Amino acid sequence: MNANWKQDPRLKKMNPQKISLLTEFAKRVESAPKDQLLPTLLSLNAEASKKGIQFNDEETDLLMSIMSANMNENEKKRMETLRLLSRNLSRRGNK
């Protein structure tokens, strides 16, 4: 993933704290082995929760589309699986 995602105009409506957290997440994803994406995503979710930050479904969908823009089909499928898992974990945590 390159830094061009930060230029997406749809991010202008997003809270700057969320963008900052996502920037940190992007750095981690770039340096993490592909088999460590799930723990990295879970770590981000835990950090966001500690800071009182939650991403709604629309924000999550936007971020996933931005982050997967330059991925091949296998990487996109993996990202979609992580998104669904994250959504399910988030919903469980809110019950």
Side-chain angles (χ1 to χ4, degrees):
M1 175 179 24
N2 61 42
N4 290 340
W5 67 270
K6 291 188 259 183
Q7 305 305 317
D8 191 295
R10 297 172 291 179
L11 291 173
K12 291 185 189 297
K13 295 187 282 182
M14 192 175 288
N15 179 318
Q17 283 183 303
K18 291 179 179 183
I19 294 172
S20 176
L21 188 64
L22 292 169
T23 300
E24 177 61 30
F25 175 63
K27 290 177 189 174
R28 290 186 205 174
V29 167
E30 287 176 353
S31 63
K34 289 188 180 191
D35 65 341
Q36 293 299 307
L37 286 179
L38 180 57
T40 302
L41 181 62
L42 294 174
S43 173
L44 172 75
N45 192 35
E47 287 178 39
S49 292
K50 285 181 187 176
K51 294 178 181 181
I53 297 173
Q54 293 184 336
F55 294 94
N56 63 36
D57 288 346
E58 181 181 338
E59 291 169 331
T60 301
D61 290 343
L62 167 63
L63 296 167
M64 297 307 254
S65 74
I66 292 169
M67 291 183 351
S68 66
N70 296 319
M71 293 180 175
N72 65 40
E73 285 305 311
N74 286 337
E75 291 170 326
K76 286 180 182 181
K77 287 178 185 176
R78 188 176 306 125
M79 184 70 83
E80 178 64 17
T81 299
L82 290 174
R83 183 185 69 79
L84 292 172
L85 180 58
S86 175
R87 183 178 283 176
N88 289 338
L89 289 173
S90 175
R91 287 189 177 142
R92 272 193 222 152
N94 291 330
K95 288 185 178 180

